[in-house]
Amino acid sequence: MPALACCVDGAVSPHPYAFATWDSVLPDYPPSNTVTAAAWSPAHSAVLYRVDGWGAPYFTVNSNGNVSVRPYGEIDLLKVVKKASDPVTSGGLGLQFPLVVRFPDVLKNRLESLQSAFNFAIASQGYDAHYQGVYPVKCNQDKFVVEDIVKFGSPFRFGLEAGSKPELLLAMSCLCNGSPDALLVCNGFKDVEYISLALVARKLHLNTVIVLEQEEELDIVIEVSKKLGVRPIIGARAKLRTKHSGHFGSTSGEKGKFGLTTTTQILRVVKKLQQYEMLDCLQLLHFHIGSQIPSTSLLADGVGEAAQIYCELVRLGACMKVIDIGGGLGIDYDGSKSQDSDISVGYSLQDYASAVVEAVRLVCDRKGVKHPVICSESGRAIVSHHSILVFQAVSTSSREISSPGLFVQHLADDALSDYRNLSAAAISNDYESCLIYAEQLKQRCVDQFKEGLLGMEQLAAVDSLCELVLKAIGISDQIRTYHVNLSIFTSIPDFWGIGQLFPIIPIHRLDEKPAVRAILSDLTCDSDGKIDKFIGGESSLPLHELEGNGNVDGGAYYLGMFLGGAYEEALGGFHNLFGGPSVVRVLQSDGPHSFAVTRAVLGPSCGDVLRVMQHEPEIMFQTLKHRLEEICDDDNGISSLAILNGLACSFNNMPYLGGNNNGHCYYCTNGDYAGAAEEEQ
């Protein structure tokens, strides 16, 4: 009997699962379609998930099938996750998911690699000045991230860039422990208080530069500097004609949001500074082509244009010293090395540095101008790799194909006719007709159900039959939904907001062949709370079957989102009152596991996120306590004291799913609210 006819006959005597094959739904690129499950290896997973493309040199798949983190030795990411999430009684830290794992060693290497790339370009091209970068703190303002950058960057005179008053305050504080030559670049729109802070920073002997974003800011700088008795160092941000297309280039060009036009506004700034005998204060030219600059040819074009402006300012008498090329150093989120994508770049760190140095050198040499110090504001290129968001898949949903069972006798005449036609088409292997009759049969039965002529059992049997047919002819939707213990809006806001893609892969079981494809659905009550686009142009992700029937009680299945160290934490909100993730900071060590956790912070509790929205958890608890005292009868079921302890735990626990290891028992059997609250703090 033909295979498809077997499927239809299953409506009476079903055994439909002989047709299940998942090979056809894995990606088209090797090795998934050519390697059996028994022969699958970690190397195959590395190819499947393109780890070497987007992850090198920091991430690899080890022989155990787990993700390892480099560059100094190898740290097994699964071991870090287990250490962070296992209960304290088992030697873990008891942190709850989702979990951000930071690797300062990666951060250090990014700074060293960027500096080395520029040092090599400068030496090889005979450039007569040096490079010193700044980190734009808007990318990730976390205290330990910024402090690490200042510490690791101090030998390179690496500084900070601020775009608001709070960022300026934290930059001032952190740079007190940095190199005295490190630049503190003050960008963004400014008022009197902002400029006053910047001038106070200069009074504190910080190497502060006030970059003019608007022409009107110069008047405030002149006035406040006189009052404070501080000679300012001034920069000008130029609106270049050069820009790149796509989302990340939308703020550049002549009509960009920031900066001064080169033909009129910058000339007026020069003239006013001359009038106040302050032209020597103008020492830096800043510009920004846009983030994720796709190619070095576009980069060289923009830097060359800016270098022309720099030389013109020198000719006009400004005491120019620094050219700040802004941000734009891109990273390859999908490993494609493409110049035509917002999530990839077609160059290396060395290519980038060489293009910048050459463009500045050529213009300055032609004009006879001394080579300036080169500064860049590389944010995402510095911090993206060092942070990994780890989260759990806790359950899965799919179209269940159960035994269709007997239902023919309940069908109306037209539906019965469709069923018979479907059977005949199946016997003759007429797949096109099978599809037509299956869809007609399903719709007629839905209409019968709506009219009350067909029961739920019969409708379910019809659904199963039609799904079997579609699956057998190879057009069934095999994509599952994996429910993940995460808020997309809080932890991956750029995916929801601008469609930014990040590499997402399982961090373990990579020695097993993925059996299914899935999209990811988060915990929020919002249809946008899902990830259904992935790197490589994929609309689903190859994943493994969940253990324990896909329940929270089953074996844990961990996924990691990589290259998300920039912007995601700074942009995350409180949708559905899900707060931020727990955080661990991990350093390479000589211990038995090759790592040491130097800091661990549990994510915000329910009480914490309620306070953000002006609620008062203590008063809320008292309100519930009074209601409980009014209605609760301890003789009937659980005691009021146990309920109170459970409520106290709820206010102090994280909003995410707890699972067996980390979740606290909702109803305590002893103690009181004060004790429970104190225990959780």
Side-chain angles (χ1 to χ4, degrees):
M1 179 180 292
L4 190 52
C6 235
C7 172
V8 175
D9 286 349
V12 178
S13 181
H15 255 304
Y17 303 106
F19 314 104
T21 172
W22 296 103
D23 285 354
S24 61
V25 296
L26 285 171
D28 292 334
Y29 50 85
S32 60
N33 290 335
T34 58
V35 181
T36 65
W40 194 265
S41 71
H44 293 123
S45 288
V47 173
L48 178 64
Y49 294 109
R50 308 183 181 200
V51 176
D52 290 339
W54 54 260
Y58 302 108
F59 308 109
T60 187
V61 180
N62 63 32
S63 59
N64 294 322
N66 303 331
V67 171
S68 283
V69 183
R70 298 169 173 173
Y72 309 117
E74 287 196 12
I75 299 174
D76 190 313
L77 182 57
L78 182 63
K79 291 181 179 179
V80 174
V81 169
K82 289 289 189 181
K83 176 66 177 178
S85 61
D86 280 352
V88 175
T89 53
S90 301
L93 300 174
L95 297 183
Q96 191 174 330
F97 291 95
L99 178 69
V100 166
V101 186
R102 299 197 202 283
F103 291 93
D105 290 324
V106 173
L107 201 61
K108 182 174 184 287
N109 184 264
R110 292 302 289 175
L111 286 167
E112 291 172 346
S113 298
L114 180 62
Q115 187 70 39
S116 295
F118 272 98
N119 287 348
F120 179 83
I122 286 169
S124 62
Q125 296 188 40
Y127 193 82
D128 291 332
H130 66 272
Y131 166 81
Q132 61 180 100
V134 297
Y135 166 66
V137 297
K138 69 178 181 180
C139 288
N140 192 325
Q141 301 99 335
D142 180 84
K143 168 184 168 67
F144 296 96
V145 172
V146 180
E147 288 181 349
D148 279 340
I149 288 173
V150 170
K151 178 176 70 174
F152 298 146
S154 184
F156 316 130
R157 297 168 284 200
F158 216 89
L160 299 175
E161 180 267 347
S164 67
K165 285 178 275 190
E167 289 184 350
L168 178 54
L169 287 168
L170 76 86
M172 291 166 62
S173 174
C174 289
L175 283 176
C176 286
N177 298 314
S179 167
D181 297 321
L183 289 167
L184 172 51
V185 177
C186 302
N187 288 332
F189 294 117
K190 305 171 188 68
D191 60 7
V192 173
E193 184 179 6
Y194 187 135
I195 290 171
S196 298
L197 276 173
L199 291 169
V200 167
R202 182 138 193 90
K203 205 174 186 69
L204 296 175
H205 293 179
L206 296 175
N207 193 9
T208 310
V209 182
I210 301 173
V211 178
L212 302 177
E213 303 277 4
Q214 295 179 298
E215 191 177 350
E216 297 79 13
E217 293 171 357
L218 179 58
D219 294 328
I220 304 175
V221 172
I222 293 172
E223 179 182 354
V224 176
S225 64
K226 287 183 177 180
K227 290 181 178 179
L228 293 178
V230 179
R231 192 75 172 172
I233 300 299
I234 299 173
R237 177 166 177 169
K239 286 185 179 180
L240 300 187
R241 314 299 174 95
T242 306
K243 63 175 294 184
H244 76 81
S245 59
H247 171 81
F248 291 111
S250 60
T251 58
S252 60
E254 284 186 282
K255 297 182 180 180
K257 178 178 178 181
F258 300 104
L260 310 174
T261 59
T262 57
T263 54
T264 54
Q265 292 179 314
I266 291 180
L267 288 174
R268 286 201 295 264
V269 164
V270 170
K271 185 176 180 180
K272 181 169 288 189
L273 287 172
Q274 285 176 327
Q275 292 174 350
Y276 284 89
E277 297 183 347
M278 294 177 64
L279 190 53
D280 62 303
C281 295
L282 182 57
Q283 298 183 14
L284 179 146
L285 177 70
H286 173 52
F287 66 94
H288 181 61
I289 301 173
S291 296
Q292 283 287 107
I293 297 173
S295 67
T296 54
S297 58
L298 176 64
L299 173 68
D301 188 28
V303 174
E305 180 187 350
Q308 294 285 356
I309 300 171
Y310 180 93
C311 291
E312 285 296 293
L313 289 172
V314 172
R315 181 182 65 82
L316 293 171
C319 188
M320 301 300 292
K321 295 180 180 178
V322 180
I323 184 167
D324 181 348
I325 64 174
L329 173 53
I331 62 171
D332 196 349
Y333 287 101
D334 66 359
S336 66
K337 305 295 185 287
S338 170
Q339 298 184 14
D340 302 315
S341 169
D342 280 344
I343 63 170
S344 183
V345 292
Y347 54 83
S348 65
L349 277 180
Q350 191 59 65
D351 295 334
Y352 175 88
S354 296
V356 170
V357 172
E358 182 179 30
V360 177
R361 178 183 60 80
L362 288 175
V363 173
C364 290
D365 287 351
R366 186 167 59 244
K367 295 284 187 176
V369 171
K370 181 180 178 182
H371 295 168
V373 172
I374 296 176
C375 174
S376 72
E377 300 176 3
S378 301
R380 90 175 57 232
I382 291 175
V383 298
S384 292
H385 298 78
H386 94 287
S387 176
I388 304 168
L389 175 68
V390 180
F391 52 96
Q392 289 176 294
V394 295
S395 65
T396 180
S397 63
S398 62
R399 292 185 180 181
E400 293 188 6
I401 304 176
S402 57
S403 174
L406 296 173
F407 66 92
V408 176
Q409 64 268 35
H410 299 281
L411 297 181
D413 290 342
D414 51 0
L416 185 59
S417 176
D418 285 330
Y419 171 75
R420 289 170 177 161
N421 289 332
L422 175 60
S423 299
I427 292 171
S428 62
N429 284 329
D430 184 354
Y431 289 0
E432 185 174 346
S433 296
C434 279
L435 176 61
I436 294 173
Y437 290 126
E439 291 299 320
Q440 286 184 184
L441 173 61
K442 187 171 183 179
Q443 186 56 54
R444 293 189 200 279
C445 291
V446 169
D447 293 340
Q448 275 191 255
F449 177 77
K450 290 179 179 179
E451 294 172 4
L453 302 177
L454 204 65
M456 289 180 64
E457 298 89 345
Q458 289 77 40
L459 185 62
V462 172
D463 285 342
S464 291
L465 172 67
C466 293
E467 185 64 23
L468 282 171
V469 171
L470 297 178
K471 183 177 180 181
I473 64 179
I475 64 170
S476 177
D477 180 11
Q478 306 284 4
I479 306 301
R480 296 195 194 180
T481 298
Y482 272 43
H483 303 290
V484 294
N485 193 12
L486 183 73
S487 165
I488 303 299
F489 305 91
T490 297
S491 293
I492 320 179
D494 271 343
F495 175 82
W496 166 71
I498 62 174
Q500 171 72 47
L501 301 184
F502 298 91
I504 298 175
I505 70 170
I507 68 166
H508 61 138
R509 296 179 60 182
L510 296 174
D511 54 347
E512 305 173 29
K513 185 174 184 178
V516 299
R517 292 201 70 112
I519 63 171
L520 307 179
S521 178
D522 74 359
L523 300 180
T524 64
C525 300
D526 197 304
S527 59
D528 287 336
K530 64 181 179 181
I531 303 178
D532 54 4
K533 292 187 176 94
F534 302 89
I535 64 170
E538 299 293 329
S539 58
S540 59
L541 185 67
L543 294 176
H544 305 86
E545 291 278 9
L546 296 186
E547 298 174 356
N549 297 319
N551 296 320
V552 177
D553 294 337
Y557 189 55
Y558 302 111
L559 301 173
M561 186 202 81
F562 295 78
L563 309 188
Y567 296 110
E568 301 316 288
E569 294 173 61
L571 293 174
F574 290 92
H575 187 277
N576 263 172
L577 294 186
F578 285 109
S582 302
V583 179
V584 292
R585 186 173 181 270
V586 180
L587 287 173
Q588 179 79 30
S589 79
D590 297 327
H593 298 301
S594 73
F595 70 88
V597 176
T598 61
R599 182 171 176 78
V601 180
L602 186 66
S605 68
C606 291
D608 293 332
V609 295
L610 285 166
R611 289 186 186 93
V612 171
M613 296 300 174
Q614 311 305 314
H615 298 280
E616 299 181 48
E618 294 78 13
I619 295 177
M620 295 166 69
F621 176 82
Q622 291 300 323
T623 300
L624 295 171
K625 178 182 177 182
H626 293 154
R627 170 59 66 91
L628 184 64
E629 290 171 345
E630 292 173 358
I631 65 173
C632 187
D633 182 2
D634 286 353
D635 295 332
N636 184 18
I638 193 167
S639 70
S640 59
L641 185 59
I643 293 176
L644 283 175
N645 276 286
L647 287 170
C649 287
S650 292
F651 278 106
N652 286 284
N653 285 345
M654 285 181 70
Y656 295 93
L657 302 182
N660 275 350
N661 290 338
N662 305 314
H664 298 276
C665 180
Y666 184 74
Y667 294 110
C668 305
T669 56
N670 51 52
D672 54 22
Y673 167 67
E678 182 178 352
E679 179 183 344
E680 293 298 319
Q681 289 175 350

